[in-house]
């Protein structure tokens, strides 16, 4: 079967294509439109579809809209209830639901030739569940937990994968929502709701959970697989911050208390689920599953032997999950994800054509990995643009900013380059075979979805990637899966003795990760980055602004 998955209703619109159970392509609309998260999660934007991402997915497989057997839309309006009846203050939610009901017609307009009868509504949390349970390598019979802000009428799903079927076990009805509580806190701390929740997680490391006892009155597991999570009087605990206003110890302590309360509640839910299934493997999805600190505590203290998190755990991942769900129901066997590199790529010839059109001086070294390793060893900041772009919010060695981890000042330097808050950490990449001697936590960790304790003997050696609490959100690199990145890491270690490189996303604050060569050149030209490695080519900052002739530079490097 040829199935296109669509996520559109709330935020992070995305498209994914599954053919005969295999994921062919998946991409978020923000990478094409250059609007962070694609759109704001308000009812007035619910009609917007991931038109460019969907068209690209079809193009990748040489398909037309009329060739599709089904389109999975990751929200089922028949399961929704009026917002007021669910205890939600969202007076325009009826507009959102109206747009959802009309999605087949909207999709026919966006994808000319599509039969609107091919559109199938997939329950939102079932799409989340399928995105992780059916995509996890080696999962088999396993447990699945989904937690986010909201779906149709719930904010949570506990389920089990048996064969290629998903069996629901429990769903928590709204208004109780761990995701919405965390969103409220994000807004209370002056950050952008439904966007900056990861900043709250980072800020929590600077505080102590002295308000945990008070928060437990409002957020707690109920012992039946569900939870209570609503009505937190944030202003009584700490004054609200306006956007851009400096945070105080009180705000850091509030973030730490909320983080600890979330972790406790998740552990209770995980223990309940294991008590029902007794499975070895737990798979996680939903926006809450992007909280890597909580994921690590689940892996460390929970009853499951293995925890796997969907790399596109947020709503973007429901495009893939919806398609996998319909594929399994239609008799196809879903294939596990081989990696998160499911987006656009360009051939060497195409990249070179972009560089010539841009009239920038470039070189083609014998080995781009060796050239970049040498630049990093000399403390350059490198923009790294290689292969297919990542699906999900993490830069995983395809659209990355790289730096030397042994220079403590590189944390501040990178945050300045990206134009973001100085309390934000950056992450390390490390060869999978070397990870255990440096980092203590779930291994392997290829998607940056867990935090690890940094071994005491290494903290002074790689200070740029050590967070204030002594942890790091690592990415382990398997040479079989990522040979170019692995070669870069090995070349850097030969020069420095460090098997670790700083890796953060290739973008600046408020902008999506770069996706095509034009994005990479614009980012390189506007941010103080020393070297751009794009495909087999490199561009040096001095030459870029000196206005050298691109044809001469390229010829001299051959």
């Amino acid at each position: 079967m040829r199935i296109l998955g669509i996520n559109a209703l709330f935020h992070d619109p995305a498209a994914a294509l599954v053919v005969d159970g295999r994921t062919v392509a998946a991409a978020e609309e923000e990478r094409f439109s250059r609007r962070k998260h694609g759109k704001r999660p308000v009812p007035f934007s619910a009609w917007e579809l991931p038109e460019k991402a969907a068209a690209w997915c079809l193009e990748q497989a040489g398909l037309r809209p009329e060739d599709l057997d089904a389109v999975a839309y990751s929200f089922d309006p028949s399961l929704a209830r009026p917002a007021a009846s669910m205890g939600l203050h969202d007076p325009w939610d009826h507009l959102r639901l109206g747009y959802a009901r009309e999605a087949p017609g909207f999709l026919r307009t966006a994808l000319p030739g599509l039969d609107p009868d091919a559109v199938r509504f997939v329950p939102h949390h079932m799409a989340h569940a399928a995105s992780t349970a059916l995509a996890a390598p080696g999962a088999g019979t396993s447990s699945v937990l989904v937690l986010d802000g909201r779906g149709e009428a719930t904010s949570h799903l506990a389920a089990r994968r048996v064969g290629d079927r998903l069996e629901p076990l429990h769903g928590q009805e709204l208004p109780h929502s761990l995701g919405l509580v965390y969103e409220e806190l994000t807004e209370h701390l002056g950050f952008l709701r439904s966007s900056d929740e990861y900043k709250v997680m980072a800020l929590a490391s600077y505080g102590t959970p002295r308000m945990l006892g008070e928060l437990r009155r409002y957020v707690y597991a109920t012992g039946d697989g569900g939870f209570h999570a609503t009505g937190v009087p944030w202003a009584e605990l700490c004054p609200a911050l306006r956007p851009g206003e400096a945070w105080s110890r009180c705000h850091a302590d509030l973030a730490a208390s909320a983080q600890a309360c979330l972790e406790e509640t998740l552990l209770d839910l995980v223990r309940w689920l294991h008590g029902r299934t007794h499975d070895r493997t737990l798979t996680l999805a939903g926006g809450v599953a992007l909280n890597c600190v909580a994921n690590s505590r689940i892996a460390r203290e929970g009853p499951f032997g293995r925890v796997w998190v969907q790399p596109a755990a947020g709503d973007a991942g429901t495009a893939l999950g919806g398609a996998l769900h319909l594929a399994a129901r239609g008799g196809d066997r879903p294939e596990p994800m081989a990696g998160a590199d499911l987006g656009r790529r360009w051939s060497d010839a195409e990249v070179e054509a972009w560089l010539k059109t841009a009239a920038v001086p470039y070189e083609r070294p014998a080995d781009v990995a060796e050239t970049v390793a040498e630049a990093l060893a000399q403390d350059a900041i490198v923009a790294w643009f290689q292969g297919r772009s990542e699906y999900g919010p993490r830069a995983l060695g395809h659209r990355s900013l790289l730096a030397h981890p042994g220079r403590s000042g590189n944390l501040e330097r990178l945050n300045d380059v990206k134009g973001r808050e100085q309390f934000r950490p950056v992450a390390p990449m490390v060869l999978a075979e070397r990870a255990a001697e440096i980092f203590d936590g779930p291994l392997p960790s290829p998607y940056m979805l867990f935090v690890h304790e940094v071994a005491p003997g290494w903290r002074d050696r790689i200070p740029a990637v050590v967070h204030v609490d002594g942890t790091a959100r690592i990415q382990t690199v398997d040479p079989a899966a990522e040979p170019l990145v692995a070669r870069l890491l090995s070349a850097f270690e030969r020069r420095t003795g460090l098997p670790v490189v700083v890796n953060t996303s290739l973008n600046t604050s408020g902008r999506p990760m770069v996706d095509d060569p034009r994005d990479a050149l614009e980012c390189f030209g506007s941010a103080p980055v020393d070297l751009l490695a794009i495909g087999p080519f490199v561009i040096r900052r001095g030459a870029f602004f000196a206005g050298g002739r691109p044809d001469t530079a390229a010829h001299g490097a051959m």
Side-chain angles (χ1 to χ4, degrees), residues 300-320:
R300 183 175 64 251
E301 300 179 30
F304 289 92
R306 177 192 176 211
V307 178
W308 191 86
V309 186
Q310 164 60 250
D315 272 9
T318 65
L320 175 59

Side-chain angles (χ1 to χ4, degrees), residues 491-508:
F492 183 74
E493 183 177 15
R494 288 198 308 273
R495 290 166 168 82
T496 65
L498 301 176
V500 173
V501 165
V502 177
N503 173 25
T504 189
S505 55
L506 181 51
N507 65 330
T508 53

Side-chain angles (χ1 to χ4, degrees), residues 289-290 292 295 309-311 394 445 447-451 473-474:
L290 291 172
C292 54
N295 293 344
V309 186
Q310 164 60 250
R394 307 288 195 236
S445 181
Y447 299 129
M448 285 189 184
L449 287 165
F450 299 93
V451 296
R473 187 189 70 199
I474 77 169

Side-chain angles (χ1 to χ4, degrees), residues 92-110:
W92 290 101
D93 193 53
H94 66 277
L95 187 62
R96 179 185 284 119
L97 297 182
Y99 286 143
R101 295 185 189 101
E102 298 299 328
F106 290 161
L107 284 163
R108 176 177 58 184
T109 301

Side-chain angles (χ1 to χ4, degrees), residues 463-495:
V465 297
V466 182
H467 197 32
V468 65
D469 58 0
T471 67
R473 187 189 70 199
I474 77 169
Q475 177 194 356
T476 56
V477 176
D478 179 357
E482 297 286 353
L484 180 61
V485 178
R487 201 163 71 244
L488 165 63
L489 288 167
S490 295
F492 183 74
E493 183 177 15
R494 288 198 308 273
R495 290 166 168 82

